Amino acid sequence: MHPKKQVITLERALNLSRSESTALFDKHVNHPLAGLLKLADADMRFTRAEGIYVYDEEGRPYMDLTAGYGTLNLGHNPEEVIKAVRDAQNLPAVLLVGFNPLIGALGNALASILPGDLTVAIFGSGGAEAVENALKTARAATGRRTFLSCGGAYHGLSFGALSVCGSEKFRRAVGPLLEHCALIPFGDLDALQQNLQPKDVAAFIVEPIQGEGGAVVPPEGYLKAAAALCRKFGTVLIFDEIQTGFGRTGKMFAMEHDGVVPDVVTLSKSLGSGVMPVSVSITSEKIWKAAFGSRDRFDLTISTFAGNPAACAAALKTIEIMHREDIPGKAREMGDYARDKLQNLKTKHALIKEIRGQGLLLGIELETGGLFSGAMEQNLALMVITELLHKHHILTSYYEFNPKVIRFEPPLIVTTEQIDEAVDALDRVLARRKQAISLSFGKTAIGRMLHH
Ligand SMILES: Cc1ncc(COP(=O)(O)O)c(C=O)c1O
């Protein structure tokens, strides 16, 4: 091999400076994102991560309130999960004749923690892949073609997942997408019934609590009624629990709050604790058989890395820890604590419009109360986020489809002291008068950019 230039070694890559890392990311990965991060002075170089903290080059800790968007429910780099992956490392990493010995065990573990008859799994690596598998299952099982989904829904960025995405902006750039897809408002049962009535809908896909839409909990009874309507009209109900699953909302799965069991559920993110990428779409034996249970169809569920031993080991150990440590119970307790503190903050700060969500999938919606409009109103949350990062060493972001809503989504191992620290920091940032926030933001490069 004659490389054109010297190839960067791993050793060198691990020791790049902050500016070198940013330059390479800018050139080879994502130029506009690199630009934005640089402007906000947020192209940090974190060199270590553990529990709810990441550490910069000087060893300073930053509290992570994003938890990899729900991927790090057990915190960064949980040792037991890393060890589990090492323990499985002598097995054939990819085996295309036969199957790895852990895959059936993981299917069994998932079936035993899920409610109802969700027992047959199609594995994959990322969330969008699980969504694709769920949508394919519905079409193949029903012979119908239409997909229904909700405004504000986020299901990933592959073509099928984007076709049921609740944001026009995300769909526009890469269209045309799948035909026969329709959007209805989240929480609207009349719209659901109207769309199901023609009996041509293969699947209705919905997040039990919307994540990227901005931590939106549907009206009481919505999921139960939606399930009854889907049953009545022969439509497969898919719950996307990729972000809400594995304790995030205070139950192992968000569907348990309402006692509703879908026909298919998609899971990923915290299934592998962020140590390994792994995803799954699980359905009943009856639906799986109807979709793929014949010799000419069973291999429609194959993917090279699906259910590889390292991914299965990470998932099996994650499930074991979740149970043993009652992580969903902890999330419920800490979620109640955080919500009370945030509600209390709301009474002090007119900038907070609403606190919402469930468990530790919380959102803080900000508004300027008509004081500002346009970019300032839109970017208030971004200003607060930037200040939390630089002044208080707290990492957070806004929800992808709702830039006014700050993400309060820490790992589920967070303590009351850490919640106190985060809420106090937010209190201090918000306590600066709105004008002061706007002045300080206006002076930053990102502020200048947004106004020009
Ligand atoms: C509810 C939901 N579904 C699907 C996805 C897509 O997962 P991935 O980014 O792994 O493809 C996400 C990611 O945030 C999500 O929150």
Side-chain angles (χ1 to χ4, degrees):
M1 193 178 79
H2 300 285
K4 280 184 289 186
K5 293 176 196 155
Q6 208 181 352
V7 177
I8 294 183
T9 61
L10 170 63
E11 285 69 26
R12 168 107 177 80
L14 285 169
N15 289 295
L16 291 169
S17 70
R18 173 175 170 172
S19 62
E20 286 172 325
S21 303
T22 304
L24 291 179
F25 180 81
D26 186 319
K27 182 164 163 46
H28 296 292
V29 186
N30 192 326
H31 171 67
L33 177 57
L36 266 177
L37 291 171
K38 270 191 283 188
L39 281 164
D41 196 22
D43 57 326
M44 324 283 294
R45 187 164 184 282
F46 295 113
T47 52
R48 195 167 73 78
E50 189 184 345
I52 85 158
Y53 295 101
V54 295
Y55 297 84
D56 70 10
E57 287 166 302
E58 273 86 49
R60 275 186 303 240
Y62 288 69
M63 190 189 291
D64 184 359
L65 292 186
T66 66
Y69 302 173
T71 307
L72 308 170
N73 286 359
L74 296 181
H76 285 269
N77 295 326
E79 240 169 71
E80 270 190 90
V81 179
I82 292 174
K83 180 174 177 306
V85 172
R86 285 206 197 103
D87 288 347
Q89 217 94 70
N90 284 335
L91 294 169
V94 175
L95 189 63
L96 295 181
V97 177
F99 47 86
N100 99 65
L102 303 185
I103 195 166
L106 178 56
N108 177 272
L110 286 163
S112 53
I113 58 169
L114 280 161
D117 56 354
L118 298 164
T119 57
V120 189
I122 306 174
F123 288 101
S125 300
E129 195 180 352
V131 168
E132 298 292 330
N133 282 325
L135 295 174
K136 277 161 53 184
T137 301
R139 273 203 179 162
T142 61
R144 297 178 178 181
R145 57 189 186 184
T146 303
F147 295 127
L148 270 188
S149 58
C150 293
Y154 188 89
H155 299 294
L157 301 182
S158 54
F159 271 92
L162 268 178
S163 303
V164 293
C165 169
S167 158
E168 165 64 20
K169 185 186 108 184
F170 272 56
R171 290 197 313 269
R172 203 184 310 131
V174 293
L177 295 164
L178 284 183
E179 290 178 76
H180 314 294
C181 293
L183 283 179
I184 53 174
F186 185 53
D188 185 338
L189 286 167
D190 290 339
L192 179 62
Q193 172 148 6
Q194 237 172 48
N195 279 271
L196 292 179
Q197 245 149 8
K199 292 195 174 173
D200 62 352
V201 178
F204 172 46
I205 179 164
V206 63
E207 297 156 272
I209 295 171
Q210 283 192 339
E212 297 313 311
V216 187
V217 180
E220 181 111 26
Y222 171 66
L223 297 174
K224 211 165 220 164
L229 283 173
C230 286
R231 211 168 310 121
K232 179 171 170 195
F233 293 107
T235 292
V236 170
L237 175 64
I238 304 170
F239 278 171
D240 181 345
E241 291 242 23
I242 286 167
Q243 188 156 175
T244 51
F246 297 102
R248 174 55 55 191
T249 69
K251 298 263 187 198
M252 188 64 95
F253 302 104
M255 64 177 108
E256 295 171 52
H257 293 290
D258 301 83
V260 188
V261 184
D263 301 301
V264 184
V265 64
T266 55
L267 304 169
S268 185
K269 294 194 186 279
S270 275
L271 173 58
S273 284
V275 175
M276 287 300 296
V278 50
S279 70
V280 68
S281 160
I282 310 180
T283 188
S284 65
E285 200 177 320
K286 184 167 163 239
I287 291 178
W288 192 92
K289 272 192 181 151
F292 305 116
S294 57
R295 293 264 316 246
D296 60 333
R297 286 192 179 192
F298 74 92
D299 49 2
L300 274 168
T301 63
I302 286 173
S303 173
T304 305
F305 298 109
N308 67 77
C312 290
L316 278 164
K317 188 52 79 177
T318 298
I319 293 170
E320 184 187 320
I321 299 170
M322 287 266 163
H323 251 278
R324 190 187 69 213
E325 312 278 326
D326 184 22
I327 298 292
K330 287 206 168 97
R332 197 159 52 242
E333 200 184 317
M334 290 302 113
D336 287 348
Y337 183 79
R339 181 187 262 282
D340 280 355
K341 292 218 67 156
L342 290 169
Q343 285 293 1
N344 194 28
L345 208 59
K346 181 177 177 296
T347 62
K348 280 173 75 177
H349 296 286
L351 282 174
I352 299 181
K353 183 180 176 198
E354 193 184 4
I355 305 297
R356 56 170 185 261
Q358 189 145 17
L360 283 170
L361 184 67
L362 295 172
I364 305 151
E365 179 160 6
L366 299 184
E367 66 174 2
T368 62
L371 202 66
F372 299 108
S373 58
M376 188 56 76
E377 172 81 35
Q378 280 301 318
N379 291 295
L380 176 60
L382 186 58
M383 293 181 230
V384 173
I385 288 163
T386 308
E387 207 165 315
L388 281 171
L389 173 68
H390 293 305
K391 292 219 164 78
H392 300 277
H393 292 180
I394 288 176
L395 295 180
T396 184
S397 63
Y398 51 74
Y399 284 98
E400 190 67 45
F401 290 165
N402 203 334
K404 292 181 180 178
V405 184
I406 296 180
R407 197 183 284 273
F408 196 98
E409 193 179 3
L412 308 183
I413 54 169
V414 70
T415 62
T416 51
E417 292 76 22
Q418 288 160 338
I419 290 171
D420 290 348
E421 189 187 326
V423 177
D424 285 351
L426 192 57
D427 189 11
R428 267 178 277 157
V429 172
L430 294 174
R432 296 163 46 117
R433 286 180 300 125
K434 291 169 217 169
Q435 290 92 334
I437 292 176
S438 87
L439 272 178
S440 85
F441 181 67
K443 281 189 219 138
T444 64
I446 194 164
R448 283 199 297 281
M449 195 191 75
L450 287 163
H451 290 295
H452 290 290

